[in-house]
Amino acid sequence: RQDKAARLWKKYGVFAYIAAGLLIGGVALNEYLQSRQSADVEAKAAAFESAASELETGNYEAASSSFEALASSDEPIAPIAANLLAEARLEGNADTEAAIAALERAANAETPIGKLSLIKAAYLKSGTSTRAELEAYLGSLPQSEDQFGALAMELLAAKALQGGHTASARPAFSALRFLANVPERAQ
């Protein structure tokens, strides 16, 4: 038995060494990739904090350039950075179009931050857009059964009222009073 085991080890032992080497190499590679990813996340977080600090102190140019880089990335923080980029552009140089463009980067109907971005952009567009344009811009959001749907419905009703279409604004405002998705009024 011992001779047979020694022959098998001599014949196939190299594969055991290769397997052990691959296992150790795989663990090392995994650790390296995790540390690299962790360092990248920390760098993005530091850049975000720095940009937020610049925005808070009124240094809009520096905040805009930092948020621009973060909003252009495919990182999970990009939609939030796009919203803060819009704030920097709106407060910094009152550039509504640039703020809308920043919000549209994050706008979609899938995530809460995406819906919020779409609502914010629609509010910024509401001064120069018709009700029909806003309806097309918001898409199906006013029909969604969440707070964002209620906000979109309210914006469209307000736009109808502004245009003198009280017949279409009144039912929308009445419906908003009874919908479950409307946030409670702050006391």
Side-chain angles (χ1 to χ4, degrees):
R1 276 187 185 174
Q2 196 173 17
D3 289 340
K4 188 176 181 180
R7 280 191 313 253
L8 285 174
W9 180 254
K10 192 174 187 180
K11 188 175 184 180
Y12 297 109
V14 71
F15 294 114
Y17 289 124
I18 290 172
L22 288 174
L23 179 65
I24 292 169
V27 168
L29 179 64
N30 185 45
E31 287 298 316
Y32 169 74
L33 292 176
Q34 283 184 348
S35 69
R36 189 171 170 202
Q37 182 182 16
S38 177
D40 188 45
V41 167
E42 287 176 15
K44 297 273 191 221
F48 185 86
E49 287 178 19
S50 173
S53 177
E54 295 290 348
L55 180 62
E56 195 173 294
T57 60
N59 190 353
Y60 300 114
E61 288 301 317
S64 289
S65 64
S66 295
F67 283 131
E68 177 72 42
L70 290 168
S72 298
S73 71
D74 59 353
E75 298 293 324
I77 201 160
I80 297 168
N83 274 266
L84 292 173
L85 173 62
E87 181 181 343
R89 288 183 172 166
L90 196 59
E91 286 183 16
N93 53 1
D95 190 349
T96 304
E97 292 302 316
I100 291 170
L103 289 167
E104 286 176 342
R105 287 182 183 182
N108 66 50
E110 302 299 320
T111 64
I113 192 74
K115 290 177 182 181
L116 180 62
S117 300
L118 183 60
I119 290 287
K120 286 179 172 181
Y123 270 96
L124 289 174
K125 285 178 160 272
S126 68
T128 58
S129 299
T130 66
R131 181 173 177 232
E133 290 170 339
L134 284 176
E135 284 177 351
Y137 186 75
L138 289 169
S140 64
L141 189 59
Q143 288 79 36
S144 85
E145 295 183 10
D146 58 10
Q147 292 86 352
F148 302 108
L151 287 170
M153 182 187 274
E154 182 180 37
L155 175 61
L156 293 174
K159 192 65 179 179
L161 189 61
Q162 180 186 29
H165 304 287
T166 55
S168 61
R170 185 174 289 124
F173 282 124
S174 293
L176 284 167
R177 290 179 45 212
F178 299 108
L179 289 175
N181 61 353
V182 176
E184 288 188 34
R185 198 170 46 158
Q187 298 284 333

